[in-house]
Amino acid sequence: EEAVQKHGASGGSVIILDPKTGKVIAMCSVPDFNPNNYGETKDPFVFNNPAIFLDYEPGSIMKPLTMAAGIESGVVTPEMTYDDKGYLRLGVHTIRNSDGKANGTQTMVQVLQKSLNTGAVFVARKMEKEVFRQFMENFGLGKLTGIELATEVSGDMRSLEKRGEIYTATASYGQGITATPLQMVAAY
């Protein structure tokens, strides 16, 4: 609740998994309701579990998955560099770093440290589109986790099936695709 209030968010979730088994140790969300007085709840939406019911564009928390796929597939190493101009043009589209800065020569480690959109795109472009999509599926994105709770949604990775390079590029930094909070925690 404190973090939601501090950042002016409409809600938030916390999920703790056992990293060896994937077992859910704890999961909670706000806003919530008092089950002893559920009839007094004004907004029935709070009866859903947003950790599994709401999918969202993950944004920058997608970059470590992109980097892991790049390293695992052998197309980048942590020390590999690229020239960050602060933007990248793909056809008629321009992708920019969220801070608007050009950082010059950057390693893959710095891509994650500085959360560089152009660096995530650099990694994704090194992979074949299908390889990137397969890694995201292997991370569990776009499919149900199998948690034994009703109302789980699968997220939406359909943009990765489209032809244009822009779809993989934006997905590399978490835009144009959706996942649930549980899927992202499980992927990590």
Side-chain angles (χ1 to χ4, degrees):
E1 285 181 344
E2 288 176 20
V4 167
Q5 290 173 359
K6 177 181 176 184
H7 298 286
S10 59
S13 297
V14 173
I15 304 166
I16 302 170
L17 300 182
D18 179 321
K20 292 186 173 116
T21 66
K23 178 182 174 182
V24 175
I25 297 170
M27 178 170 25
C28 65
S29 299
V30 291
D32 62 359
F33 66 97
N34 182 341
N36 295 316
N37 300 316
Y38 67 89
E40 297 173 13
T41 302
K42 305 242 186 295
D43 183 3
F45 183 79
V46 300
F47 295 134
N48 294 310
N49 180 348
I52 63 166
F53 181 72
L54 293 179
D55 57 338
Y56 71 106
E57 286 188 330
S60 289
I61 66 169
M62 184 72 170
K63 291 173 187 160
L65 301 184
T66 297
M67 192 63 69
I71 290 170
E72 182 69 21
S73 65
V75 298
V76 296
T77 65
E79 302 79 23
M80 182 180 278
T81 62
Y82 84 109
D83 183 29
D84 174 37
K85 296 177 180 167
Y87 69 93
L88 175 68
R89 288 205 172 88
L90 294 176
V92 298
H93 305 283
T94 301
I95 294 172
R96 299 183 190 286
N97 291 328
S98 61
D99 65 4
K101 295 180 182 175
N103 295 281
T105 302
Q106 298 293 295
T107 66
M108 298 301 103
V109 171
Q110 289 171 311
V111 167
L112 294 179
Q113 288 172 335
K114 297 177 182 178
S115 193
L116 301 173
N117 293 345
T118 59
V121 175
F122 172 83
V123 175
R125 290 178 85 187
K126 290 269 189 198
M127 285 182 271
E128 291 181 29
K129 182 178 178 174
E130 181 58 29
V131 171
F132 178 82
R133 188 190 63 75
Q134 188 62 56
F135 267 99
M136 297 310 119
E137 282 184 16
N138 291 347
F139 279 127
L141 303 182
K143 55 188 173 186
L144 300 176
T145 66
I147 192 167
E148 295 175 355
L149 295 171
T151 72
E152 181 182 20
V153 299
S154 60
D156 187 354
M157 303 295 283
R158 289 177 295 176
S159 68
L160 294 179
E161 297 168 8
K162 294 181 180 179
R163 288 187 125 173
E165 185 180 22
I166 190 66
Y167 301 106
T168 300
T170 57
S172 74
Y173 57 88
Q175 293 183 1
I177 57 168
T178 64
T180 65
L182 181 59
Q183 287 173 326
M184 291 307 293
V185 171
Y188 269 73

